[in-house]
Amino acid sequence: MPVAMPTVAQVDELPSLMERRVPPEWQDLNGHVNVRHYLELYDAAGWPMLGSLGIDERMFLERRLGFFDLEHHIWYLAEMHVGDVVTVHSRLVDRSAKRFHGVMFIVNRTRGQLACAFEYVTSGADLEARRTAPLSAEVAAELDRQIAEHSALSWPAPVCGVISA
């Protein structure tokens, strides 16, 4: 069953986490951006998204708390080409004691298109034990705040229906 995707204007209701111009080395033999670079954009945008939750490297290095991605679902919606300017945005959907669920979007500013949507579930992690762990109280509180803010948007978050927090 097809999932309804937001418009570019709707995605623009979310802050941009980063902007990048597609470099020539990202082009594959099909003449467009190779799939691995979509994931590279999501990974790079993940750090400012975590920063918006109050997470910095001290949490990883000193408190030994981190995050493990558990599941992904990707919708490739429109090609990206060398020279295109793209932005990445994040919408949080839900959380549990250990996990949070969200969707990130790549908007192709040059072409005015939603290029891709990336649904994910991430778990808190104890980096000493190398196991999933409950989210810290301060991260959980900020997640709750942002989830409530994002839930108030006029458009539903696109989700595949098989992954959740």
Side-chain angles (χ1 to χ4, degrees):
M1 178 158 94
V3 173
M5 289 293 157
T7 65
V8 170
Q10 288 170 323
V11 172
D12 282 341
E13 295 173 25
L14 300 164
S16 173
L17 297 169
M18 62 176 284
E19 179 177 293
R20 180 166 292 167
R21 182 175 301 278
V22 174
E25 59 271 17
W26 284 14
Q27 182 172 298
D28 65 14
L29 293 175
N30 288 315
H32 60 198
V33 171
N34 186 274
V35 61
R36 74 179 176 267
H37 299 296
Y38 287 79
L39 294 174
E40 185 175 335
L41 285 168
Y42 289 124
D43 183 60
W47 291 105
M49 190 273 295
L50 290 174
S52 80
L53 298 172
I55 298 164
D56 61 19
E57 72 178 31
R58 286 189 326 258
M59 180 176 278
F60 292 82
L61 299 174
E62 295 170 14
R63 295 175 61 191
R64 302 299 294 148
L65 298 174
F67 301 91
F68 298 152
D69 273 8
L70 302 178
E71 292 188 63
H72 298 154
H73 185 95
I74 303 173
W75 292 272
Y76 297 100
L77 305 167
E79 293 180 309
M80 296 188 306
H81 297 276
V82 171
D84 288 351
V85 174
V86 299
T87 56
V88 183
H89 308 258
S90 176
R91 179 171 178 169
L92 292 165
V93 176
D94 196 10
R95 79 164 183 91
S96 66
K98 288 186 177 183
R99 298 181 177 123
F100 61 94
H101 179 198
V103 184
M104 296 179 91
F105 304 94
I106 298 174
V107 174
N108 186 324
R109 295 290 162 193
T110 302
R111 299 173 192 278
Q113 298 173 313
L114 182 60
C116 192
F118 172 83
E119 182 183 9
Y120 64 91
V121 172
T122 298
S123 180
D126 177 327
L127 297 178
E128 291 300 323
R130 306 303 300 172
R131 304 210 31 99
T132 62
L135 300 164
S136 70
E138 62 268 21
V139 168
E142 183 56 25
L143 280 165
D144 289 343
R145 188 193 72 71
Q146 288 190 34
I147 290 166
E149 181 181 306
H150 295 170
S151 294
L153 294 170
S154 64
W155 50 280
V159 294
C160 67
V162 296
I163 64 177
S164 65

